Amino acid sequence: MTSQPTLTKAENGPGGTGEPGSGLQAGLKNRHLSMIAIGGVIGAGLFVGSSSGIATAGPGILLSYALVGTLVVLVMRMLGEMSAANPTSGSFSAHADRALGSWAGFSIGWLYWFFWVVVLAVEATAGAVILEGWIPAVPQWAWALIVMVVLTATNLVSVGSYGEFEFWFAGIKVVAIAAFIVIGGLAVFGVLPGVDSDQAGLSNLTEHGGFLPNGAGAILTGVLLVVFSFMGSEIATLAAGESENPQQAVTKATNSIIWRVAVFYLGSILVVVSLLPWDSKSIAEDGSYVAALDSLGIPHAGQIMNFIVLTSVLSCLNSGLYTASRMAFSLGQRGDAPKSFARTTANGVPRTAILASVAFGFVAVFFNYKFPDSVFLFLVNSSGAVALFVWLVICFSQLRMRKIIQAEAPEKLVVKMWLYPYLTWATAALIVFVLGYMLTDTEHDGRKTVLLSLLVAAVVLIVAFVKERMKRNGTAASGQDAALEDAVR
């Protein structure tokens, strides 16, 4: 750990914001940041992964989502506190570098990058499956290639083009879920014509075995199934570094996280389990949202949901490539990655960082098609618990960064973590508990995910400590040479 890291004051780089000489430009508008913040919490996992959670916990899955949602709100509050005081493209990695030491920033930065480049392959494949279903003449691998190339080109043009694409991708997701909640809510209360009133209703929450048909323990199992669908809420703090008013953008995103989680996750899942009995075969066979739409008598429900899922997949791909490249850029700036990663084009785009990230994504896509049950499965499982590692590092960083900010620039504490430091410690304890509980889960590969993720984290940590020791020895050696030269003189 470092003795006493200092708080860097935001300065303007060439055409950029907040990072001297960074070359990043303030190309994201307020509407871009607002939609990135809203859409960032809505991943494709919400649409395609919720059915397994409902099957496991029944209506009690609402408590699982509420528990994880609370966790996300608390972590985002901590991250918002640090990012509002010092907006940077490295976000929590840069904060960990200052608060805990370069080993922490290096490790969590590379783990986060690894997580997102694997996500690129997962999402590209998911999108290719949908597109092949619509246009089977084009093979699945070609669709994966096409979507990756198109979104790479988008990110290479300018940060504004990324923001514009994400604005519309996220906008479609938001409108779709809002419409689903309104229409579904009307059906639940019996004011929507054409709906089977005997099937839809709040009674579905307590009938068919009760609110917790599989016992209270299923709530924790549900947590394991839904926790990773929340990854992405932190993207707004990375993107804020390239916005017109970073501090305002971070503050707004942080303050709105509560209603975003409550409406889009809890609201939509509540509608699903109210429209249909939790043990309905259609939920397991067709997916929770498709089954819910079918129950409303909406024609072509499956294709409508496929379009929404495809939009979410493209949004995740777009943001994943942006996020991975900006993390690589930040690592390059701090000397934790090749210096070329920190170079930008005239448009303020870190081209090398983007190409390096997408190159690994292409390799992962290849592994998915060539070795799906071995190499690719290892990549997915070994990156699976990174979200929890990131949240844990944010907790420990905030514990120290609060003291640094108070000592050096207290006026920058425009966002404050509630009940500091007690709630921060409680959040960290809850994350550790979830990780520990995952080790007991063999049915859903929780144990394998944690162990493989810990293995990768251990390798990255070893590299970080070796790098730091080599740097320390190099500094000591140069100091000795300077002393020897002085003595000779």
Side-chain angles (χ1 to χ4, degrees):
M1 293 175 67
T2 55
S3 55
Q4 181 66 16
T6 57
L7 186 68
T8 303
K9 291 184 178 180
E11 299 172 30
N12 289 331
T17 62
E19 293 173 300
S22 69
L24 295 179
Q25 296 183 356
L28 293 176
K29 300 176 181 178
N30 289 333
R31 66 182 178 87
H32 294 154
L33 260 294
S34 297
M35 198 57 74
I36 288 170
I38 295 172
V41 296
I42 309 171
L46 173 63
F47 300 108
V48 299
S50 54
S51 55
S52 58
I54 293 172
T56 299
I61 194 65
L62 287 166
L63 297 181
S64 302
Y65 273 104
L67 188 59
V68 179
T70 301
L71 193 61
V72 170
V73 167
L74 295 174
V75 170
M76 277 298 296
R77 188 74 186 181
M78 296 177 223
L79 182 55
E81 176 181 296
M82 296 185 289
S83 295
N86 187 25
T88 170
S89 60
S91 189
F92 52 84
S93 174
H95 303 322
D97 192 290
R98 285 192 199 98
L100 305 177
S102 60
W103 64 270
F106 177 96
S107 303
I108 205 63
W110 277 114
L111 284 173
Y112 190 70
W113 178 87
F114 173 58
F115 171 85
W116 278 110
V117 292
V118 172
V119 166
L120 291 181
V122 174
E123 300 296 342
T125 303
V129 170
I130 296 174
L131 289 166
E132 186 189 31
W134 291 344
I135 309 177
V138 180
Q140 195 178 116
W141 66 267
W143 278 122
L145 179 65
I146 290 169
V147 296
M148 289 275 275
V149 168
V150 169
L151 292 178
T152 300
T154 300
N155 275 264
L156 285 172
V157 172
S158 69
V159 67
S161 62
Y162 153 73
E164 199 63 35
F165 268 72
E166 190 56 25
F167 175 82
W168 291 105
F169 286 151
I172 292 172
K173 290 190 294 184
V174 170
V175 170
I177 291 189
F180 175 80
I181 292 173
V182 171
I183 295 172
L186 293 174
V188 169
F189 290 104
V191 292
L192 188 71
V195 175
D196 185 357
S197 59
D198 294 333
Q199 191 176 36
L202 294 177
S203 59
N204 284 325
L205 298 176
T206 53
E207 295 179 355
H208 308 281
F211 186 71
L212 295 172
N214 296 324
I219 297 173
L220 291 177
T221 305
V223 165
L224 306 186
L225 295 173
V226 306
V227 65
F228 304 110
S229 65
F230 282 83
M231 193 66 169
S233 55
E234 71 290 332
I235 292 176
T237 63
L238 280 87
E242 294 175 82
S243 67
E244 298 165 347
N245 191 332
Q247 189 180 75
Q248 183 185 45
V250 170
T251 303
K252 187 175 180 180
T254 303
N255 290 335
S256 65
I257 186 69
I258 296 176
W259 72 260
R260 286 186 277 137
V261 169
V263 171
F264 296 123
Y265 278 86
L266 292 179
S268 63
I269 294 296
L270 175 61
V271 168
V272 169
V273 294
S274 298
L275 284 175
L276 289 167
W278 70 271
D279 53 356
S280 171
K281 290 183 179 180
S282 60
I283 291 180
E285 294 173 355
D286 304 325
S288 52
Y289 286 82
V290 172
L293 288 175
D294 275 332
S295 73
L296 298 178
I298 296 178
H300 309 295
Q303 292 304 321
I304 293 173
M305 188 50 59
N306 275 340
F307 173 74
I308 296 171
V309 171
L310 178 63
T311 303
S312 296
V313 163
L314 295 176
S315 171
C316 194
L317 263 173
N318 195 36
S319 289
L321 183 53
Y322 171 84
T323 305
S325 65
R326 268 32 176 205
M327 186 56 72
F329 168 84
S330 180
L331 289 166
Q333 270 198 321
R334 288 178 269 139
D336 291 336
K339 290 182 179 179
S340 59
F341 283 17
R343 297 194 193 113
T344 56
T345 65
N347 290 332
V349 174
R351 180 167 54 198
T352 305
I354 291 175
L355 293 176
S357 300
V358 80
F360 193 96
F362 277 125
V363 171
V365 169
F366 169 76
F367 285 146
N368 190 15
Y369 287 102
K370 198 70 176 176
F371 312 106
D373 299 322
S374 54
V375 180
F376 186 71
L377 189 61
F378 170 80
L379 291 177
V380 172
N381 284 331
S382 61
S383 64
V386 167
L388 293 170
F389 296 165
V390 167
W391 295 348
L392 197 58
V393 167
I394 289 173
C395 291
F396 292 127
S397 297
Q398 189 266 338
L399 284 169
R400 191 150 193 240
M401 189 61 81
R402 166 68 78 88
K403 297 176 182 177
I404 298 170
I405 300 172
Q406 285 177 326
E408 299 185 9
E411 71 280 1
K412 290 189 174 183
L413 275 174
V414 293
V415 176
K416 288 186 178 181
M417 175 59 182
W418 307 296
L419 298 177
Y420 168 86
Y422 309 108
L423 202 49
T424 301
W425 280 112
T427 305
L430 181 57
I431 295 170
V432 171
F433 173 77
V434 172
L435 284 167
Y437 189 78
M438 285 182 71
L439 290 172
T440 68
D441 175 46
T442 55
E443 183 180 354
H444 304 99
D445 288 335
R447 177 183 295 176
K448 183 187 295 183
T449 297
V450 172
L451 292 177
L452 289 177
S453 296
L454 285 172
L455 174 64
V456 172
V459 171
V460 176
L461 275 171
I462 291 171
V463 173
F465 284 122
V466 169
K467 175 182 173 294
E468 196 163 322
R469 186 169 182 177
M470 290 174 63
K471 183 179 179 181
R472 199 180 302 123
N473 290 340
T475 303
S478 62
Q480 291 174 358
D481 291 342
L484 185 59
E485 287 179 12
D486 290 339
V488 170
R489 289 191 193 125

